[in-house]
Amino acid sequence: MMGRGAGCDVRLRAGRIAAAFAIAAVLGQATPAGSANAGTAPAAFFPLAVWYGGGTARAPMMSRIDAGSSAAWGADLDSIKGVGFNTVKTWVDWSTAEPRRGVYNFSNLDLLLKLAGDRGLKVIIQVYLDSAPDWIGRQFPDSRFVDRSGIVIDSQSAPGYCIDYAAVRREITSFLGALSRDANRFPALYGWDVWSEPHVINWADFSWIRDPEFCFCQATQARFREWLQAKYGTLDALNAAWYRQFTSWDQVQAPRFSTILSYTDYIDWRAFIDDKLAGDLKTRVDAIRSADRGHPITSHADAPGLFTQPTDGYGEPDDWKMSATADFYGTSIYPKHSESSRPWPWWMLTAGLDFTRSAGHAFGKGFWIGELQAGQGATGMRIADPVTPQDEEFWMWQAISHGARETATYAWYPMSSGFESNGYGLIHLDGTLTDRARAAGKTAALIAANAARIDASEPAAARVAIVYDRLSYMVGGRQPSPSTLGNAERDSLLGLYRAFLEKLIPVDFVSLSSSDLLRLSQYRIVFLPYPVMLSQSAGGLIRQYIQGGGTVVAEARLAWNDERGHASPVIPGFGLDQVFGARESLIRPEEKPEIAIEASAAFSGLSAGQVLPGAAFEEDLEPAPDARTLATFPSGAAAIVCHRFGSGTAILVGSFLGLSYQRTHDAGTRALLLALAASAGVAPRVRVSGSGTDDVEVRRLIAADGQLVFVFSHSDRPADASISISLPWTPSAAHDVIVGSEVAFDQQNGATILRRTLPPHGIWVVSLDRR
């Protein structure tokens, strides 16, 4: 049941949207780490891992065992434990572990599991199937990957062979089952990561192929046809949808190029790839689970999906579908990767972590950090900025503050070969420790010492949701967006996110395809950025949410295209013009759109007539008689319209505010977004004041017996921070988690006040106890 929406008077505060439900209980999903899924590990154990495979070989390669291996590996493990890590993440590559069909060689893994167990270290096993044994290709030559141009890829250690070929899938499941049986003989086993950085094809760069796209082998095309049959049922229905004239299912192929007619076939192909990747992950999970009923089984993306393109020809996974499939899904985090144009700013890291967290949260799960950068990025002669000890501390505490249930620093040794040679290591290749290793280990030890509190806590609940919709990337099919827009989808999401981050208001990203009304009802306000393509089911969900009392802010060209790529006769489509009380009358591209606030709107923090920057377009809106115009364009046409619908409020914006804020950082735009949220009943629970505190970030993990408060200064100057936290209870004590000392605090007007002068880029973690 929902409360009333905000209404169109932005000065009024709305009743709360009820959220009295338990997602995990309703959905019957896997439980978070620290509960039954953690298997043999004690509930208070929190895995803080570093990648180490035995010797100096880089993943996925494996060192050859000799007479000195046991002593050398043991010494390395002693160093790993000595600096503060409690877990190692090792790996097994299929090529080495099954050199001949049915002949398994797990000697490296067995030795490491034994040596780690002798030292009280836990082990997470990363499985690499991309480095497939050569006998697969010789026995099943048709299983080679095929580009859309028809070029066949011969594997050379990578990228392996296509799992859609039935015989390859059988060999994979047999191998994984044998591996699982072997590893479960050792008490040191903690968990699994069955797919590192999932793609259709991995670890290979085909520079001679223009815009490669996979996979067009016969097996994948057959699987695509099965997917289409499940969706459409009949060939006639498919022909109608694709505007084709197939006479047999065998004629159906994935599209290889664009036409002017329709791109429904391309949208189907991309949707299939999303489902295929999730299905391929399930194959891996099920195969390991066949011999392992207790340990968590995970996977991790190469980057949070916020920063990737769903249309990438190598195949980019949908974080929500992957999270639904594994016990935990996570991501790699490389803020100073050599392939990045610059180091990630702090808000980019927090956005990526919140995005990954949100995908797991949708199913009542946490997330894992599959790889966390350990050392300086290097790709050939592309060498990134050095990684500092402070970087390691900051990245680890950031992951924990977002609710990560594990971290795995990549890697103990630098890469010993390949184009990343000598990069990404926590120590030197000769085994010499670095200050980075000591800092990362010390941080790991502090986190482990507080495992019980962290494991029992969850990030502060968000009441603001930002919709992530992969369909918005599909407009035009394979035709790229104008270069003037750039990555408008990503930047629209980031802009909205940053506006709330800067005022310490928690935000969730949501995928409407993985949501229902029950999940959506926990939010007081939902933002629909760049909503140029929307599915009919998503439109129906938005309608229900508003009718039941929710507030939605939608940007320009809402539901312009449906999930087939067909234009709506009226914009907004799916009857949402009735919900939002306005329709598009005209749209024009503008280099610098201008949005003027109406005098009657009275937004907090904005003056009448104040002009805010839009982005890309001015979409003239034609309001319904019962709608209210909140802002106009220079032409006089309505730019923002507010409309009551049912018990809720719908607000339509004729430009892209999120995109604008990301690119201009205009204070007025942020004030508008915050005022809209405030009108829906969203207010910050944490406030920071004092000299130099503009770049101070505060996050909270909340448990029944207290809270952990994480304070990060992103400033180059000291910050005299006074941190006010609204709590329904008074702390009995507070202590500094990093230093170990007691922390003084005050109570003022029902808020707990913490004070400290933070050094430049300082980190402060405070435990507030409730007894």
Side-chain angles (χ1 to χ4, degrees), residues 198 270-271 273-275 277-278 281 301 305 308 310 315-325 329 355 359 363 468-471 511 513-514:
R270 299 318 311 179
I273 292 296
D274 288 352
D275 287 347
L277 289 170
L281 175 57
T308 63
E316 286 289 350
D318 181 329
D319 287 3
W320 273 259
K321 290 182 178 180
M322 303 298 270
S323 293
T325 303
Y329 190 64
F355 190 91
F363 305 99
Y468 167 75
D469 193 338
R470 293 168 75 86
L471 281 175
S511 170
S513 64
S514 298

Side-chain angles (χ1 to χ4, degrees), residues 425-585:
L426 200 56
I427 67 171
H428 295 301
L429 198 52
D430 66 358
T432 307
L433 290 180
T434 64
D435 289 340
R436 286 194 318 281
R438 296 184 183 94
K442 179 181 178 182
T443 304
L446 285 169
I447 295 168
N450 290 272
R453 168 61 63 84
I454 294 170
D455 211 35
S457 301
E458 295 289 341
R463 294 294 175 254
V464 177
I466 301 172
V467 171
Y468 167 75
D469 193 338
R470 293 168 75 86
L471 281 175
S472 65
Y473 294 79
M474 306 292 171
V475 173
R478 282 196 173 89
Q479 300 297 325
S481 296
S483 58
T484 52
L485 284 180
N487 195 330
E489 301 88 349
R490 177 202 63 197
D491 286 355
S492 295
L493 293 160
L494 280 173
L496 290 173
Y497 174 84
R498 289 181 67 188
F500 291 99
L501 170 70
E502 289 159 3
K503 291 301 178 181
L504 308 179
I505 296 175
V507 166
D508 282 348
F509 295 94
V510 298
S511 170
L512 295 181
S513 64
S514 298
S515 295
D516 55 26
L517 190 60
L518 193 60
R519 288 197 185 103
L520 211 58
S521 66
Q522 67 185 289
Y523 304 107
R524 298 184 184 183
I525 188 167
V526 174
F527 287 85
L528 275 170
Y530 206 78
V532 292
M533 184 180 285
L534 203 70
S535 70
Q536 185 169 5
S537 61
L541 182 57
I542 290 298
R543 182 188 187 99
Q544 286 181 287
Y545 170 76
I546 296 171
Q547 192 166 31
T551 296
V552 172
V553 179
E555 294 186 331
R557 308 228 90 183
L558 172 62
W560 163 32
N561 294 276
D562 64 17
E563 63 265 48
R564 303 167 300 162
H566 289 198
S568 300
V570 175
I571 303 173
F574 304 128
L576 291 176
D577 60 313
Q578 302 298 313
V579 176
F580 283 83
R583 61 182 288 172
E584 176 185 297
S585 62

Side-chain angles (χ1 to χ4, degrees), residues 117-348:
D118 291 344
R119 289 158 174 81
L121 291 167
K122 291 294 182 180
V123 177
I124 298 168
I125 301 173
Q126 176 71 64
V127 183
Y128 287 112
L129 299 176
D130 309 84
S131 55
D134 289 340
W135 59 262
I136 289 284
R138 291 192 296 268
Q139 190 150 353
F140 312 113
D142 290 342
S143 67
R144 292 174 296 173
F145 290 105
V146 179
D147 172 56
R148 63 173 166 167
S149 66
I151 294 174
V152 178
I153 306 299
D154 288 310
S155 184
Q156 47 188 53
S157 298
Y161 302 91
C162 186
I163 195 173
D164 293 333
Y165 195 82
V168 172
R169 188 176 293 265
R170 285 194 300 270
E171 297 298 338
I172 284 173
T173 56
S174 295
F175 169 72
L176 292 176
L179 175 62
S180 183
R181 289 189 294 274
D182 180 82
N184 271 276
R185 299 182 297 118
F186 295 88
L189 177 63
Y190 181 84
W192 299 86
D193 188 327
V194 293
W195 202 354
S196 172
E197 303 181 346
H199 295 87
V200 173
I201 193 167
N202 221 351
W203 300 346
D205 181 20
F206 312 108
S207 57
W208 74 95
I209 304 176
R210 181 178 179 181
D211 298 328
E213 188 173 315
F214 298 94
C215 182
F216 284 78
C217 72
Q218 293 180 4
T220 299
Q221 295 307 301
R223 188 174 172 186
F224 181 43
R225 286 191 288 272
E226 292 174 2
W227 185 93
L228 291 169
Q229 286 178 294
K231 176 177 180 177
Y232 291 105
T234 68
L235 198 59
D236 284 344
L238 176 68
N239 281 329
W242 283 20
Y243 196 70
R244 301 292 290 276
Q245 297 172 350
F246 300 118
T247 58
S248 129
W249 281 102
D250 291 341
Q251 297 168 358
V252 179
Q253 292 280 322
R256 298 172 188 260
F257 53 87
S258 299
T259 72
I260 199 172
L261 304 178
S262 168
Y263 57 92
T264 305
D265 53 357
Y266 179 72
I267 296 173
D268 280 339
W269 172 240
R270 299 318 311 179
F272 161 74
I273 292 296
D274 288 352
D275 287 347
K276 167 184 153 51
L277 289 170
D280 293 345
L281 175 57
K282 186 176 187 302
T283 294
R284 291 161 165 84
V285 170
D286 290 349
I288 292 293
R289 188 62 77 201
S290 68
D292 188 331
R293 305 306 300 173
H295 300 101
I297 303 175
T298 72
S299 173
H300 71 275
D302 62 340
L306 177 60
F307 306 136
T308 63
Q309 285 280 352
T311 57
D312 188 275
Y314 283 69
E316 286 289 350
D318 181 329
D319 287 3
W320 273 259
K321 290 182 178 180
M322 303 298 270
S323 293
T325 303
D327 293 332
F328 298 97
Y329 190 64
T331 186
S332 293
I333 295 291
Y334 287 92
K336 289 186 173 181
H337 198 285
S338 58
E339 295 296 315
S340 297
S341 59
R342 59 172 177 151
W344 290 6
W346 68 270
W347 49 262
M348 186 172 175

Side-chain angles (χ1 to χ4, degrees), residues 613-656:
F617 299 101
E618 289 180 354
E619 179 191 36
D620 290 355
L621 301 176
E622 182 182 321
D626 60 341
R628 180 182 173 200
T629 298
L630 302 181
T632 58
F633 292 121
S635 65
I640 303 178
V641 172
C642 181
H643 185 240
R644 291 285 295 173
F645 182 76
S647 299
T649 302
I651 299 168
L652 187 61
V653 182
S655 196
F656 300 126

Side-chain angles (χ1 to χ4, degrees), residues 720-759:
D720 295 321
S722 176
I723 302 161
S724 173
I725 306 171
S726 297
L727 295 173
W729 44 270
T730 300
S732 59
H735 69 272
D736 188 317
V737 170
I738 294 176
V739 176
S741 60
E742 294 299 312
V743 173
F745 61 92
D746 297 327
Q747 292 295 124
Q748 294 180 7
N749 301 320
T752 299
I753 312 297
L754 301 171
R755 295 185 177 87
R756 183 179 176 184
T757 298
L758 298 166

